[in-house]
Amino acid sequence: MQNTREPNFQAKLAAAGKAVELIESGMNVGLGTGSTASIAIDLIGQKVAREALKIVAVPTSDHTATQALALKIPLTTIEAVGRLDITIDGADQVELKTLSLIKGLGGALVREKIVAFATDKYVIVVDQSKIAEGLGNLVPVPVEIIRFGWSSTCKHLETLGCQLTMRKGADGELYVSDGGNLIADCFFASLSQPVSLEKAINNIAGVVDCGLFLGLNPLVVIGSAGGARVFPGGRL
Ligand code: 5RP
């Protein structure tokens, strides 16, 4: 179970609880990564056990796969099911007016994006701290890059106008994703043209993908200590 003493725990729980209400028997479910998604996964596990719910799930990280298996949530692959009915995932920043997201501070952005684009109902669970007026004000754009020639890939990324920091793990060494790649956290002074920026980033040799999640039209569930609200309203 999660760290219930974390300051935003109640808000995350409220968002996760509202999202998990959308899961029904027979669904193929995408499972996100991060602390809020992890609360949702715990709740899904409880629902599977309590209601004998028949679902299969695609995890977006090794960590999520381990959690789901411990909860006896059956796992599958996109290849086996074709598409997913619903995915519940967290985000690092949400711009409500465009429903654009920044994701990947948890390091799972590539699998998260593949799962998002294979999903019919994409549900993002966040607390209010993730809601921002403009993209990029609060967090960097994580960019996953392959190891070969990574310093050259970083120089090319910097020509796009960012301050770049290579992500490190708790051991102080370069962070390695589940896919065996590195992550460059890129702070851009302005993210006013995210669509062209995403294209420019992803065009650089050595880049696997970046944490700009655009055009996915998510349902955003914003939790608070008092409950959860859904944005855009009326779409639940
Ligand atoms: C992982 C992610 C997470 O969804 C994102 O970091 C949000 O995590 P949390 O709910 O812990 O704030 O993109 O790659």
Side-chain angles (χ1 to χ4, degrees):
M1 197 48 174
Q2 307 305 307
N3 176 9
T4 54
R5 282 193 242 161
E6 193 217 320
N8 288 339
F9 178 80
Q10 287 306 331
K12 292 177 181 185
L13 179 63
K18 188 85 183 159
V20 170
E21 284 174 15
L22 298 170
I23 294 185
E24 294 168 9
S25 210
M27 284 184 163
N28 304 325
V29 179
L31 301 176
T33 295
S35 59
T36 321
S38 177
I39 295 170
I41 295 162
D42 276 341
L43 297 177
I44 293 168
Q46 289 166 19
K47 192 164 167 164
V48 165
R50 197 177 52 238
E51 300 171 20
L53 204 69
K54 292 260 177 297
I55 61 166
V56 288
V58 174
T60 53
S61 62
D62 294 349
H63 186 272
T64 289
T66 303
Q67 183 187 2
L69 287 174
L71 292 163
K72 300 196 166 40
I73 300 172
L75 299 185
T76 187
T77 61
I78 294 175
E79 288 64 42
V81 295
R83 280 194 68 79
L84 300 169
D85 298 294
I86 185 169
T87 288
I88 300 177
D89 201 353
D92 301 303
Q93 194 169 14
V94 178
E95 185 184 54
L96 285 181
K97 88 174 172 257
T98 58
L99 294 176
S100 299
L101 314 171
I102 295 179
K103 285 181 53 55
L105 289 196
L109 65 105
V110 173
R111 293 186 192 179
E112 288 174 337
K113 202 184 261 192
I114 293 167
V115 164
F117 275 102
T119 294
D120 293 337
K121 188 178 275 236
Y122 186 45
V123 184
I124 290 295
V125 284
V126 288
D127 60 74
Q128 185 65 36
S129 70
K130 307 293 184 62
I131 307 299
E133 281 290 316
L135 275 188
N137 295 340
L138 305 176
V139 295
V141 177
V143 182
E144 184 154 331
I145 62 180
I146 67 165
R147 289 190 212 212
F148 180 85
W150 64 267
S151 60
S152 172
T153 305
C154 287
K155 281 188 191 132
H156 284 104
L157 281 167
E158 282 168 337
T159 65
L160 299 178
C162 63
Q163 297 270 355
L164 182 153
T165 316
M166 287 307 289
R167 190 168 309 176
K168 302 256 177 75
D171 56 3
E173 300 296 326
L174 289 175
Y175 174 88
V176 179
S177 73
D178 285 349
N181 301 310
L182 308 178
I183 294 188
D185 286 314
C186 298
F187 285 90
F188 288 90
S190 161
L191 271 182
S192 56
Q193 306 289 334
V195 174
S196 54
L197 180 63
E198 185 196 22
K199 280 203 181 97
I201 293 172
N202 286 359
N203 255 341
I204 293 173
V207 168
V208 181
D209 211 330
C210 72
L212 288 166
F213 282 49
L214 312 173
L216 283 156
N217 199 24
L219 188 68
V220 181
V221 185
I222 307 166
S224 67
R229 67 196 163 95
V230 175
F231 196 91
R235 267 188 57 199
L236 207 56

